[in-house]
Amino acid sequence: MAGEVLSKKQQDIAIISSYSASGDLIKLETALNKGLDDGLTVNEIKEVLIQMYAYCGFPRSLNAIATFMGVVNNRSGKNDKIGTEGKVLDLNVDKNAYGKEVQTKIVGSEVKGEIFKFAPAIDDYLKEHLFADIFARGVLTDQEREIATIGALNSMQGVEPQLAAHILCGKNTGLTQEQIDEILKLTGGIKNEAFATGEKNEAFAKYFIGQSYLNILTKDQVLVANVTFEPRCRNNWHIHNGGGQILLVTDGRGYYQEWGKPARELHRGDVVNIAPGVKHWHGAASDSWFSHIAIEVPSESGSTDWFEPVNDEDYNKLK
Ligand code: MN
């Protein structure tokens, strides 16, 4: 679409690789469906997930591919495009030379270092396998493969040097600083979270618009739960009687709004104190998943009164 910093396809590749790397298979499933809805071919997505094993290992890659297989099998009614298949390098190609050429082109200069003298096998594997076998498969452009790599590395802990290196590689494949910033923003909140997402929140579904997930962390002394909202999901206006509620934001971007007041935008690390008796709602932004830990402040008269949904007209005014 005109004016977009990244195309839908580029955004989808970044997000799919990011959830593959973080191992969040529930959110990955949503991202995979969106990718197919946006027109990515089945084989393009397969290539992203295959490439992932070079960056986050066979376990993450295999889990992502199994999730994608389930998605594809469930979409038999939709006309998803299969697309072209990845190619296998001809047996008589000198993979080391081929990979070195691709690596040098993408990195911008010949890659050298003490580490490769210390363990020469890893230098061979990088060239012959990653930059030859995998990159030669085609289907995705080198630029699309770098988008996938940046998305994945941005969702992993302790790989900052590699992320910085691949940001430069991304630029060598033609990505602008603005596009790189957008990839980092899209995937920045996606990390392997401390608390599991839990199950679909069926018990309270009638008080929510969109899909939420609930993981009760403890019921002893104080009720503490991890609540996750898909993009656009929010709870209805409600009041906590008795003790009120405290929210600790752990992931994504969302909102908290009290009746008659402007909405407050929320990010990872924000804390919201909700006094008893205050009518309010909380939920995700339209373009982001959102998670918070909800602490129900104990009280002898604790209860929740539920009211009307937050209507689309008001919600759509939020940025
Ligand atoms: Mn609340």
Side-chain angles (χ1 to χ4, degrees), residues 235-236 238-240 245 247 256 274 278 280-282 292 294 296 304 306:
N235 50 33
N236 292 355
H238 61 281
I239 290 175
H240 303 289
Q245 188 182 45
L247 308 178
Y256 166 71
I274 307 168
V278 172
H280 70 279
W281 67 272
H282 24 117
H292 63 54
E296 309 302 322
T304 302
W306 291 95

Side-chain angles (χ1 to χ4, degrees), residues 6-318:
L6 293 172
S7 69
K8 282 266 184 299
K9 181 179 182 181
Q10 291 172 319
Q11 292 177 32
D12 289 332
I13 288 172
I15 291 172
I16 287 169
S17 58
S18 182
Y19 283 127
S20 300
S22 70
D24 190 331
L25 302 180
I26 289 174
K27 293 178 183 175
L28 175 63
E29 188 177 325
T30 306
L32 292 167
N33 273 298
K34 184 174 181 301
L36 291 171
D37 289 342
D38 287 344
L40 261 73
T41 70
V42 170
N43 281 330
E44 282 171 335
I45 293 178
K46 271 190 202 171
E47 285 303 317
V48 171
L49 305 183
I50 291 167
Q51 181 187 325
M52 282 304 103
Y53 101 77
Y55 292 97
C56 44
F58 276 109
R60 290 272 189 258
S61 173
L62 288 169
N63 288 346
I65 290 168
T67 301
F68 187 44
M69 188 170 68
V71 166
V72 170
N73 290 342
N74 277 330
R75 288 170 61 97
S76 50
K78 304 201 179 182
N79 285 324
D80 296 324
K81 288 174 280 184
I82 302 301
T84 53
E85 292 235 9
K87 293 191 299 279
V88 177
L89 261 184
D90 207 89
L91 277 176
N92 54 28
V93 169
D94 179 346
K95 286 187 189 180
N96 203 286
Y98 181 104
K100 184 178 175 181
E101 197 180 317
V102 173
Q103 184 189 44
T104 304
K105 186 181 74 182
I106 291 176
V107 174
S109 59
E110 195 178 325
V111 176
K112 291 177 183 167
E114 287 302 311
I115 189 176
F116 300 126
K117 290 181 201 156
F118 182 67
I122 203 72
D123 191 28
D124 291 336
Y125 294 157
L126 271 170
K127 291 186 175 109
E128 295 173 16
H129 191 47
L130 177 59
F131 287 107
D133 281 331
I134 294 182
F135 272 70
R137 289 179 61 77
V139 183
L140 300 174
T141 64
D142 289 352
Q143 185 183 77
E144 286 164 345
R145 290 192 181 275
E146 283 307 316
I147 291 171
T149 302
I150 294 168
L153 293 176
N154 197 36
S155 304
M156 295 163 69
Q157 308 283 358
V159 293
E160 289 76 13
Q162 285 78 12
L163 176 60
H166 279 279
I167 286 172
L168 294 176
C169 294
K171 287 183 180 170
N172 289 336
T173 65
L175 290 172
T176 65
Q177 183 63 49
E178 205 185 2
Q179 288 177 312
I180 289 182
D181 288 345
E182 192 68 16
I183 296 168
L184 297 177
K185 201 173 105 189
L186 276 174
T187 58
I190 301 171
K191 299 273 186 204
N192 192 359
E193 292 300 323
F195 302 106
T197 305
E199 305 293 327
K200 283 186 178 177
N201 187 5
E202 310 286 8
F204 293 87
K206 61 184 176 224
Y207 304 125
F208 281 70
I209 290 175
Q211 186 65 58
S212 66
Y213 297 82
L214 184 67
N215 179 13
I216 305 280
L217 301 175
T218 178
K219 288 179 180 171
D220 300 337
Q221 294 121 309
V222 181
L223 177 64
V224 181
N226 183 24
V227 188
T228 301
F229 304 75
E230 69 174 355
R232 296 192 67 81
C233 174
R234 66 266 191 189
N235 50 33
N236 292 355
W237 290 98
H238 61 281
I239 290 175
H240 303 289
N241 299 303
Q245 188 182 45
I246 296 167
L247 308 178
L248 308 177
V249 179
T250 53
D251 192 20
R253 190 170 78 90
Y255 298 101
Y256 166 71
Q257 186 173 26
E258 296 183 358
W259 188 259
K261 294 187 183 173
R264 175 182 162 196
E265 188 175 321
L266 298 175
H267 300 270
R268 181 183 173 93
D270 284 337
V271 177
V272 182
N273 267 287
I274 307 168
V278 172
K279 187 172 174 179
H280 70 279
W281 67 272
H282 24 117
S286 60
D287 61 352
S288 174
W289 285 78
F290 177 65
S291 297
H292 63 54
I293 304 291
I295 302 169
E296 309 302 322
V297 180
S299 160
E300 300 217 332
S301 57
S303 67
T304 302
D305 292 330
W306 291 95
F307 302 98
E308 68 274 32
V310 180
N311 66 56
D312 277 341
E313 197 190 336
D314 291 332
Y315 180 81
N316 289 339
K317 286 177 193 159
L318 301 171

